[in-house]
DNA sequence: AACGAAAATCTGACCGGACAGAATGTTTTT
DNA sequence: AAAAACATTCTGTCCGGTCAGATTTTCGTT
C-alpha cells in the first residue's frame, strides 16, 4: 500500500532529522538513522536509493514544511504590519523547534557547495521566502506604508536578517534569547521598512 | 628555528583553507591537506596534534584575521557613517576572498554544535564583531545620529544582517551579486539606524 | 473461512574501500 | 653524530551499500 510506504519514509526522515541534530550531519551513519527509526539498516536502502537520497528528501521536506507554515501564517493576517509580525513569529516558532530545524538546516547549507541537488532545493526555498517578503512589502505599499523600499531587494534583506538572527541565536545556544532575537528582528525590519506609527 | 616552524604551520593552515573550500570540511583528508601544502602527510602530524587541531587553529586564525581587518578599517574613518561603510566594505572584501572564507566559515559554524573549542572561538569572534558595531553606534550617537538605537541589540542586528547577506550571497553563487548585497546591506543598516541625511 | 503461493517487506552479516594516526625509515640541519 | 624535519608504510577501525535469506502481507482459489 502506497500509504504505508509513505509512512515508513516519513518515519525514516524524522529519525534522520533527530539523528543529525544529535550527532551531526557528517558523523551520522546509516546505522544511527536505523536505530533512531527502530528499524534495521536494510530498511533505509529499501526505501531510499542511498544515504544522500535520504538527506535530499529530508531537506526538501523540511524547507517545504517551513514555507507552508510561514505562508499560512501571513495569509491569516490582513494588514502588512501584522503579516510581518506573523512571518517573524512563524520563523521563530519555538526555541526547541528552531534549534532542531536550524542546526540541521545549517549543516545542509554547508553542504550546498558540494551538492547540486541540495543547492536546488535551497534556491527554491529562498524564492519562496522572498515571495513572502514581497507580498508583505506590496501589501504595505498599497496601505501607504513601506513606500521607500524596493520590493525585490527588500525581500532579500528581510530574509537575510531573519536568517542572520536565527544563526546568531543558534550559535549563542541560549534558549532565553529566543524572544530577544525574535522581537529585535521584527523591530529592525519594521524600522528598515520605514514604518511610521500613525 | 621558531620562525621556520611557524611558517610551516601557516603553510599547512593555508593549504587546509583551500582544501576545505574545494573539497568540503567533511570530505577533506589529511592526504588532501598534505597535497595542497606540497608536503607529506607526516608533516601535519609533526606540527599539529591531530586533524581536529589543524581545524581549530585554522578557525582561530581566520576569525582573528577578519576581525583585525574590519577593526583596522573602521579606525581609519572619522565619522560614524564612514565607519559603517568601511565596516561593511571590509566584511564584503572581495568576491573571491569572501567565497573562500565564508564557505569554510560556514562549515565551521555547522560543526560548532559538535565541538566546544570551535564554539569558543566563534563566541570570541562574535564579541569582537559586536564590539565594532557598538563603536560605530556610539560614535554616531555622539554625533547626534543613531539616537533611537539601543547599542547592544543594535550591534547584534548589524552583524546578523551582514552574516545573513553574506550567507544568502554565497548560496546564490553569483559573483556579480557581491556589490548588490554589499550596498543593500549598508543601506539597510543605515536606514535601520535611523540616519537622516542632513 | 481456510489455504497457500507469490509478492512485499525486513534483517543483519558481509565485503570492499577509505582514512586517521602510529610507526618506522630517510634526509637535512646543527 | 645527534637531533630535527620530513617522507613513507602499516594497521586497525569504521562505514556505506549489497544480498541472501527470513518474515510478513496480500490475494486469488477452493
Amino acid at each position: 500500500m502506497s500509504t504505508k510506504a509513505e509512512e515508513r519514509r516519513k518515519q525514516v526522515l524524522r529519525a534522520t532529522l533527530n539523528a543529525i541534530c544529535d550527532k551531526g550531519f557528517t558523523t551520522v551513519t546509516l546505522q544511527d538513522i536505523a536505530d533512531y527509526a527502530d528499524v534495521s539498516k536494510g530498511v533505509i536502502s529499501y526505501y531510499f536509493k542511498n544515504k544522500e537520497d535520504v538527506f535530499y528528501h529530508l531537506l526538501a521536506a523540511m524547507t517545504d514544511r517551513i514555507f507552508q507554515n510561514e505562508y499560512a501564517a501571513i495569509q491569516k493576517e490582513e494588514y502588512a504590519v501584522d503579516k510581518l509580525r506573523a512571518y517573524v513569529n512563524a520563523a521563530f516558532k519555538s526555541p526547541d523547534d528552531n534549534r532542531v530545524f536550524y542546526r540541521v538546516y545549517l549543516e545542509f547549507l554547508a553542504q550546498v557547495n558540494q551538492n547540486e541537488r541540495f543547492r536546488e532545493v535551497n534556491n527554491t526555498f529562498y524564492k519562496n521566502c522572498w515571495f513572502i517578503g514581497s507580498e508583505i512589502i506590496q501589501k504595505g505599499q498599497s496601505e501607504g506604508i513601506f513606500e521607500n523600499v524596493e520590493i525585490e531587494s527588500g525581500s532579500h534583506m528581510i530574509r537575510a536578517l531573519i536568517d542572520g538572527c536565527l544563526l546568531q541565536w543558534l550559535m549563542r545556544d541560549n534558549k532565553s534569547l529566543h524572544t530577544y532575537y525574535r522581537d529585535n528582528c521584527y523591530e529592525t525590519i519594521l524600522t528598515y521598512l520605514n514604518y511610521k506609527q500613525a
Side-chain angles (χ1 to χ4, degrees), chain A:
Chain A
M1 191 132 302
S2 150
T3 315
K4 180 72 181 297
E6 219 34 59
E7 201 51 49
R8 258 279 185 277
R9 289 168 65 91
K10 278 184 189 172
Q11 179 187 2
V12 171
L13 294 184
R14 259 195 308 272
T16 307
L17 177 69
N18 289 318
I20 292 178
C21 179
D22 289 351
K23 310 217 167 187
F25 191 98
T26 60
T27 325
V28 89
T29 69
L30 284 181
Q31 192 59 59
D32 287 331
I33 297 173
D35 291 346
Y36 272 69
D38 259 318
V39 294
S40 78
K41 212 169 61 150
V43 169
I44 299 166
S45 297
Y46 188 77
Y47 288 103
F48 295 91
K49 224 175 68 200
N50 52 31
K51 198 181 174 186
E52 191 263 353
D53 197 45
V54 178
F55 289 160
Y56 168 77
H57 282 96
L58 174 60
L59 177 62
M62 277 172 60
T63 51
D64 188 62
R65 192 168 150 278
I66 294 292
F67 167 65
Q68 298 297 345
N69 203 42
E70 291 175 349
Y71 191 55
I74 72 157
Q75 282 189 310
K76 279 185 194 144
E77 301 296 334
E78 186 180 355
Y79 300 111
V81 177
D82 298 325
K83 282 178 188 286
L84 179 63
R85 180 84 243 187
Y87 182 29
V88 174
N89 281 351
F92 287 79
K93 198 176 182 186
S94 83
D96 290 327
D97 282 2
N98 278 120
R99 218 175 76 106
V100 175
F101 170 80
Y102 233 75
R103 269 197 186 186
V104 176
Y105 179 57
L106 184 58
E107 305 238 27
F108 273 112
L109 287 183
Q111 304 296 322
V112 155
N113 294 309
Q114 318 293 330
N115 189 311
E116 187 56 38
R117 297 173 84 201
F118 290 1
R119 185 200 310 272
E120 278 165 23
V121 174
N122 193 56
N123 282 343
T124 303
F125 181 57
Y126 271 2
K127 278 177 192 155
N128 285 335
C129 292
W130 298 331
F131 174 70
I132 291 178
S134 302
E135 292 271 293
I136 294 171
I137 297 174
Q138 259 171 328
K139 183 62 172 59
Q141 293 183 341
S142 78
E143 292 172 14
I145 54 177
F146 304 164
E147 285 179 326
N148 298 317
V149 178
E150 219 243 301
I151 293 173
E152 192 183 345
S153 62
S155 69
H156 295 161
M157 292 302 112
I158 290 174
R159 192 66 212 183
L161 190 64
I162 290 175
D163 280 337
C165 283
L166 276 167
L167 180 66
Q168 202 174 107
W169 168 75
L170 185 71
M171 289 301 116
R172 296 182 73 174
D173 196 31
N174 184 335
K175 279 189 192 177
S176 70
L177 289 172
H178 192 257
T179 54
Y180 169 81
Y181 274 101
R182 186 193 64 196
D183 296 344
N184 272 292
C185 183
Y186 169 71
E187 293 290 342
T188 302
I189 296 173
L190 208 53
T191 309
Y192 159 63
L193 294 178
N194 216 15
Y195 175 68
K196 279 130 188 140
Q197 196 90 35

